[in-house]
């Protein structure tokens, strides 16, 4: 067992006799004692020996006891309580007040008996021991908190996608950050990104982080749309968090197939889209209360859809950047951020430039709030869906042979949605859950997800909702297309869409037959066919690209009944 630590005491008095008397009494209480004959030497002795107790005379040459006590207390704040008792012959109220103001923890007025002195020492030592125990508990709690923070960070960061491409600033104001950075890859190749800022900062502000990350990641990987994920997160946080705790967040879904970004800002500073020169192309302000404030999203909520160039950059920020203050109380503000971001884009390092600019502005001011930024290059996760010249001329509307009618499917799954249910239910994640529940997880299911998504969107948008895809061929028309789509979905009360999956096992793989039927008027298959065969710029054409993608991924694609019936055969080998 370790030997008990020897307690150290420092006696500061200009009288050698008093030093000797006090030293003897302290030695009887188990202290090793050092002495000094003036305040200046007392301060030096404290620095050298770091004693557990200081006895201080008041009236001394060179430096009096009050001044010496203030210096000692300023030195001991970072390490220990170091009780300091004034020993004086001044029996006045002012002497008592001045002693406390100077940092004294007690006062003894001469003359006093040895028993009274020892009782005072025991009392002050009891307080010092209690302080030491508290400090030890704080140290243990600090280590536990650091471990918990590391585990939480590992859980959240391990789920994020593309950390080698997405730039991030994450500078917490406390051990636990109330800001959360999430990114995940959808099965169809879309990248979902979220920057969230819980109310306040510290441990309390981070209690919703793990369930939020789980919902965001799992729903994205199952193929739910960004709108469905946002709605679910809002409901989850509303029921999970106390009423005074909520999440300001900005959500982004980047589709490299459509070269678009869907942005929903709920309570954060503006989300920015910069071009390669740092010019602001779009600035998307908050359009909804933070997540968890309302039991469900507002009925008139809309997301902003913007067209992307591969050289553009999306930037999400928390209010900790805008509201960072310098020594005069001035805020960093949006103008400084925009200028720093522009310089960062030109220098190809937004995160470093913004962080350096903030630090230069704030200098030594304590950080009041978590500082966060997410930088997303718009060529991130780019997937090439274009066909080469020969492939682009393939007759994608030709008939093909389906599995023979006498061959029985191993299983079938069917779902029909009508009227309002078409605006409330996304059948694609349900279909994918069915496939994976029956056949297990596999990499090739990503292709099936993409095929199902393209067929479903085509049937819903152009069949049931009767939207004209030509709108998407201009920037203004593109936004108009999604606004009109949202409006028609909310007022939808008729029509239907049915989906049928049939699975046929093969000796070294399998075949999945997908049939989707809608209640729309269909489209001119021959006209679209001629358009693909004659177009010289298919790859840059937005409308109709989904059909190309489905044909590229599948064994066959058949349109019947004037385009209201689509049948796809998907084949894979293992």
């Amino acid at each position: 067992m370790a030997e008990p630590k020897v307690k150290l005491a420092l006696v500061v008095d200009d009288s050698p006799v008093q030093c000797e008397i006090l030293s003897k009494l302290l030695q009887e209480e188990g202290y090793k004692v050092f002495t000094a004959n003036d305040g200046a030497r007392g301060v030096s002795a404290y620095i050298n020996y770091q004693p557990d107790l200081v006895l201080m005379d008041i009236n001394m040459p060179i430096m009096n006891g009050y001044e010496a006590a203030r210096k000692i207390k300023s030195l001991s704040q970072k390490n220990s309580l170091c009780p300091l008792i004034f020993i004086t012959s001044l029996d006045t109220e002012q002497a008592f007040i001045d002693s406390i103001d100077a940092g004294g923890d007690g006062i003894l007025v001469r003359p006093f008996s040895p028993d009274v002195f020892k009782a005072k020492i025991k009392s002050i030592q009891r307080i010092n021991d209690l302080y030491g125990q508290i400090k030890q508990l704080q140290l243990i709690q600090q280590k536990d908190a650091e471990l918990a923070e590391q585990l939480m960070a590992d859980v959240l960061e391990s789920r994020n996608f593309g950390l080698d491409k997405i730039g991030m600033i994450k500078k917490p104001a406390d051990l636990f950050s109330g800001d959360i950075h999430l990114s995940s890859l959808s099965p169809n190749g879309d990248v979902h990104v979220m920057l969230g800022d819980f109310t306040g900062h510290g441990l309390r502000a981070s209690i919703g982080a793990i369930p939020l990350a789980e919902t965001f990641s799992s729903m994205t990987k199952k193929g739910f749309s960004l709108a469905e994920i946002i709605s679910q997160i809002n409901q989850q946080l509303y029921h999970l968090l106390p009423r005074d705790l909520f999440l300001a967040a900005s959500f982004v879904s980047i589709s490299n197939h459509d070269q678009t970004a869907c942005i929903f800002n709920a309570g954060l500073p503006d989300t920015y889209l910069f071009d390669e020169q740092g010019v602001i192309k779009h600035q998307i302000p908050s359009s909804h209360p933070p997540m968890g404030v309302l039991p469900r999203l507002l009925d008139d909520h809309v997301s902003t859809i913007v067209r992307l160039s591969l050289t553009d950059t999306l930037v999400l920020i928390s209010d900790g950047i805008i509201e960072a203050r310098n020594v005069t109380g001035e805020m960093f503000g949006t103008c400084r951020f925009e200028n720093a971001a522009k310089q960062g884009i030109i220098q190809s390092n937004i995160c470093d430039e913004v962080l350096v600019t903030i630090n230069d502005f704030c200098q030594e001011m304590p950080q009041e709030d978590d500082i966060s930024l997410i930088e997303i290059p718009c060529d991130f996760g780019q997937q090439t869906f274009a066909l080469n010249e020969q492939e682009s001329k393939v007759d994608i509307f030709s008939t093909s042979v389906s599995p023979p009618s006498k061959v029985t499917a191993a299983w079938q799954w069917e779902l029909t949605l009508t009227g309002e249910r078409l605006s409330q239910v996304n059948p694609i994640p349900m279909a994918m859950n069915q496939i994976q529940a029956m056949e297990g997880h596999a990499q090739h299911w990503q292709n099936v997800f993409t095929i199902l998504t393209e067929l479903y969107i085509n049937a819903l948008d152009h069949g049931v909702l009767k939207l004209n895809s030509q709108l998407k061929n201009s920037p203004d028309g593109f936004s108009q297309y999604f606004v009109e789509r949202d409006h028609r979905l909310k007022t939808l009360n008729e029509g239907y869409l049915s989906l049928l999956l049939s699975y046929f096992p093969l000796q070294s793989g399998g075949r999945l037959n997908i049939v989707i039927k809608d209640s729309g008027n269909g489209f001119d298959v021959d006209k679209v066919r001629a358009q693909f065969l004659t177009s010289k710029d298919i790859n840059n054409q937005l409308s109709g690209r989904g059909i190309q993608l489905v044909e590229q991924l599948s064994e066959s694609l058949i349109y019947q009944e004037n385009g209201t019936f689509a049948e796809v055969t998907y084949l894979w080998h293992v």
Side-chain angles (χ1 to χ4, degrees), residues 501-520:
L501 304 180
S502 302
Y503 172 74
F504 301 85
L506 300 178
Q507 188 172 6
S508 60
R511 184 189 298 270
L512 185 68
N513 216 45
I514 303 169
V515 175
I516 191 162
K517 167 73 176 171
D518 67 76
S519 60

Side-chain angles (χ1 to χ4, degrees), residues 73 76 79-84 105 124 127-128 131:
K73 282 295 182 178
S76 67
N79 301 313
S80 64
L81 176 64
C82 185
L84 188 149
D105 300 294
I124 206 73
I127 294 173
N128 192 34
Y131 180 84

Side-chain angles (χ1 to χ4, degrees), residues 416-424 492-498:
T416 299
L417 299 173
T418 62
E420 293 181 357
R421 285 291 185 269
L422 284 166
S423 65
Q424 299 169 352
L492 184 64
N493 55 22
E494 60 181 6
Y496 72 88
L497 189 152
S498 62

Side-chain angles (χ1 to χ4, degrees), residues 366-539:
Q367 186 177 332
E368 298 176 350
D369 197 5
D370 302 320
I371 290 175
S372 290
L373 178 149
I374 298 181
E375 168 198 354
I376 314 167
C378 292
D379 62 349
F380 167 62
Q382 181 186 5
Q383 298 186 31
T384 303
F385 296 112
L387 308 177
N388 61 34
E389 183 177 353
Q390 181 179 357
E391 290 174 324
S392 67
K393 306 304 180 184
V394 172
D395 182 357
I396 66 175
F397 299 98
S398 62
T399 60
S400 64
V401 179
S402 298
S405 58
K406 64 180 181 180
V407 178
T408 303
W411 57 261
Q412 288 187 318
W413 182 86
E414 186 173 11
L415 176 68
T416 299
L417 299 173
T418 62
E420 293 181 357
R421 285 291 185 269
L422 284 166
S423 65
Q424 299 169 352
V425 178
N426 181 354
I428 306 307
M430 300 169 64
M432 293 304 302
N433 284 339
Q434 171 68 20
I435 293 171
Q436 293 179 3
M438 296 294 292
E439 304 302 327
H441 293 268
Q443 186 69 27
H444 54 257
W445 295 142
Q446 293 187 6
N447 291 339
V448 173
F449 177 89
T450 301
I451 292 170
L452 284 168
T453 300
E454 295 299 336
L455 292 176
Y456 169 69
I457 291 175
N458 186 63
L460 178 62
D461 287 14
H462 310 312
V464 179
L465 299 179
K466 299 177 174 61
L467 287 165
N468 187 345
S469 62
Q470 294 297 325
L471 280 174
K472 293 191 287 186
N473 284 333
S474 68
D476 292 339
F478 198 86
S479 297
Q480 181 185 349
Y481 177 91
F482 284 96
V483 170
E484 182 63 22
R485 182 183 191 273
D486 187 68
H487 171 71
R488 294 190 188 188
L489 273 176
K490 289 178 179 178
T491 58
L492 184 64
N493 55 22
E494 60 181 6
Y496 72 88
L497 189 152
S498 62
L499 175 62
L500 172 65
L501 304 180
S502 302
Y503 172 74
F504 301 85
L506 300 178
Q507 188 172 6
S508 60
R511 184 189 298 270
L512 185 68
N513 216 45
I514 303 169
V515 175
I516 191 162
K517 167 73 176 171
D518 67 76
S519 60
N521 299 327
F523 62 97
D524 190 334
V525 175
D526 292 334
K527 182 179 179 180
V528 176
R529 177 179 183 275
Q531 177 183 335
F532 283 133
L533 292 175
T534 59
S535 176
K536 296 181 179 179
D537 194 19
I538 289 178
N539 296 339

